[in-house]
Amino acid sequence: MIDLLLAFADERPLARRLAAAAGLPLRLVERHAFPDGETRLRLPPALPPRVALLRGLQRPNERLAELLIAAPAARELGAQRLLLVCPYLGYMRQDMAFRPGEAVSQRHVGAALAQWFDAVLTVDPHLHRVASMDEVVPGRRSVALSAAPLLGALAARRARRPILLGPDAEAEPWVRAAAQAQQLEHATCRKQRRGDRQVSVALPPLDYAGRDVVLVDDVASTGRTLVATARALYARGAAAVDVAVTHALFVGDAGPVLARAGIRRVWSSDTVPHPSNAVSVAPLLAAALRDL
Ligand code: R5P
């Protein structure tokens, strides 16, 4: 059981939904950015023994610094058990050294979280080469929830008998989970990435002519993966391409680029605040908080 939910103002909508769903009081951490880039945090001066801190790791570098400061501060102010609710857990994609000398960020970020928090709760972490969150956050209780079934149900309601398509092999667990409960047709593409914004995609051999296709992935960042897939689908006669992702990072020019590629609608979960948020993970997080 948890006594209090702490959150930052820029994640207030999800924080409010989560506090309401879990029946928890909500307090905000005040954050001041100094001109030189340092951050001052102010927490409630007296904390109860069991505290959950909500902080997603979009824009991960500045937020990791916040956690580095907030976790020991919360303990000094009375928290004995400190849980991190991290709806988007960044740094999970670098899960091996692709070239000699590359730091395996997933392992090192996970080890830091294990040092700062007693437990970690997250949604659709990008676990490709590791089996579970236990490997990422060693020695701590950690739980990974999934928004994929919610997105699958939404796609089934909003699109016309859609094919759900994962843009790469790594998306297979999410596209399968999204499709299964709705008994939707699903498949995954083969992706080749040559750079941050250079992506090509080979479609699986299905008949796309006249079909609605919903692209399902865990995270969209520059949007180039979705754009390459949508272009290939329209070239094969798809009627409409929509997108359903858990984490709507959509950095830089992703929005206009998606629109130019003819992507009709974008749906996301509220793990990352974005105008495309269409389903809420708050009830899932609240139930997991009760179980922890
Ligand atoms: C990687 O495998 C992820 O699941 C996403 O497909 C990827 O991060 C999307 O990146 P972008 O939007 O920059 O193409």
Side-chain angles (χ1 to χ4, degrees):
M1 282 296 289
I2 297 292
D3 305 309
L4 177 73
L5 178 65
L6 277 181
F8 288 70
D10 56 3
E11 287 178 295
R12 197 170 2 208
L14 175 59
R16 282 196 173 134
R17 282 181 216 123
L18 175 55
L24 286 174
L26 169 65
R27 299 287 301 276
L28 291 183
V29 177
E30 283 176 28
R31 181 182 185 283
H32 174 74
F34 288 105
D36 57 13
E38 289 185 9
T39 302
R40 181 184 64 215
L41 300 180
R42 180 162 177 253
L43 285 71
L47 290 174
R50 295 160 302 191
V51 173
L53 173 65
L54 173 74
R55 199 59 173 150
L57 287 182
Q58 54 274 25
R59 297 197 306 283
N61 296 348
E62 79 189 43
R63 287 168 179 230
L64 281 169
E66 289 170 5
L67 296 185
L68 166 80
I69 297 166
R75 293 191 196 276
E76 280 177 4
L77 294 167
Q80 290 160 23
R81 187 166 160 73
L82 189 59
L83 188 146
L84 176 66
V85 181
C86 189
Y88 171 62
L89 184 53
Y91 275 120
M92 291 296 106
R93 281 169 289 185
Q94 182 82 30
D95 58 0
M96 63 174 278
F98 295 94
R99 290 174 303 153
E102 267 181 8
V104 184
S105 318
Q106 182 191 76
R107 194 185 305 147
H108 305 310
V109 168
L113 297 182
Q115 207 182 317
W116 301 334
F117 296 93
D118 299 299
V120 176
L121 188 54
T122 190
V123 182
D124 289 333
H126 191 92
L127 303 185
H128 182 45
R129 273 163 281 256
V130 307
S132 78
M133 282 293 292
D134 293 336
E135 287 180 54
V136 177
V137 192
R140 298 294 193 188
R141 182 90 194 273
S142 54
V143 176
L145 305 166
S146 182
L150 297 173
L151 293 167
L154 184 83
R157 286 198 304 276
R158 303 266 181 97
R160 190 175 41 94
R161 211 172 47 85
I163 300 172
L164 301 195
L165 199 60
D168 52 33
E170 296 169 30
E172 201 279 331
W174 292 291
V175 76
R176 182 166 28 90
Q180 255 170 5
Q182 311 300 321
Q183 299 182 319
L184 295 173
E185 198 177 342
H186 68 282
T188 52
C189 307
R190 273 181 297 114
K191 176 166 93 178
Q192 212 188 352
R193 184 181 282 284
R194 292 179 308 283
D196 289 340
R197 290 177 167 74
Q198 288 77 42
V199 174
S200 55
V201 167
L203 298 177
L206 298 175
D207 182 6
Y208 300 101
R211 296 291 304 271
D212 281 8
V213 182
V214 179
L215 305 182
V216 177
D217 209 351
D218 58 332
V219 55
S221 177
T222 67
R224 267 39 180 204
T225 297
L226 299 172
V227 163
T229 316
R231 289 203 172 119
L233 285 165
Y234 283 126
R236 297 270 289 274
V241 179
D242 297 311
V243 161
V245 291
T246 300
H247 309 297
L249 299 183
F250 291 122
V251 299
D253 61 356
V257 165
L258 255 59
R260 278 202 298 277
I263 288 174
R264 183 173 59 170
R265 294 170 294 193
V266 180
W267 304 304
S268 63
S269 84
D270 59 354
T271 55
V272 177
H274 188 264
S276 63
N277 290 170
V279 295
S280 180
V281 295
L284 296 177
L285 291 171
L289 274 182
R290 277 193 290 271
D291 289 349
L292 273 168

